[in-house]
Amino acid sequence: MEIKQTSVAGTLESSDIMITVKPAEERKIILESSVEKQFGQQIRNLINQTLDRLQVTNVSVIAQDKGALDCTIQARLVTALHRASGEESYDWKEIDSWKD
């Protein structure tokens, strides 16, 4: 998936996350989280796994987390990536197969 423009998904409400993605020369993740000490590494791992699954390499991800669950983080990231790529179709079966 190629990131063509900047896009945003999510909010700054409690238990949510706002994710901004934009084109970059390499993968970069910036995380601001109210639960950074407890879950920061897990959030970064989830973001990286999702980027890997969608084959996204050249992207800058800014994640402003307010205590979101993993499923919310992943949903917001997938939405922002699809918006930024301009793709209008989703492979729901592929995304559903990510469940562990």
Side-chain angles (χ1 to χ4, degrees):
M1 178 182 292
E2 180 185 352
I3 304 306
K4 299 175 184 174
Q5 62 190 9
T6 299
S7 83
V8 179
T11 70
L12 294 175
E13 297 292 322
S14 180
S15 301
D16 201 355
I17 187 169
M18 180 180 286
I19 294 187
T20 304
V21 298
K22 56 187 174 182
E25 292 189 17
E26 60 185 25
R27 186 182 291 181
K28 181 178 181 181
I29 298 171
I30 298 169
L31 174 64
E32 301 168 12
S33 176
S34 59
V35 292
E36 172 93 32
K37 290 183 181 181
Q38 299 95 334
F39 301 108
Q41 190 57 50
Q42 170 62 23
I43 295 168
R44 284 184 185 82
N45 289 344
L46 180 60
I47 291 170
N48 275 311
Q49 287 172 355
T50 304
L51 293 172
D52 288 345
R53 288 176 168 156
L54 293 173
Q55 300 175 349
V56 179
T57 55
N58 298 337
V59 66
S60 175
V61 177
I62 301 168
Q64 297 171 279
D65 175 53
K66 301 296 182 184
L69 297 174
D70 285 359
C71 58
T72 303
I73 295 167
Q74 195 169 50
R76 299 298 192 203
L77 180 57
V78 168
T79 300
L81 291 168
H82 276 86
R83 287 177 180 167
S85 71
E87 290 186 18
E88 295 183 11
S89 63
Y90 298 87
D91 186 350
W92 293 112
K93 288 184 180 182
E94 177 191 346
I95 293 171
D96 193 46
S97 74
W98 297 353
K99 293 178 184 175
D100 297 326

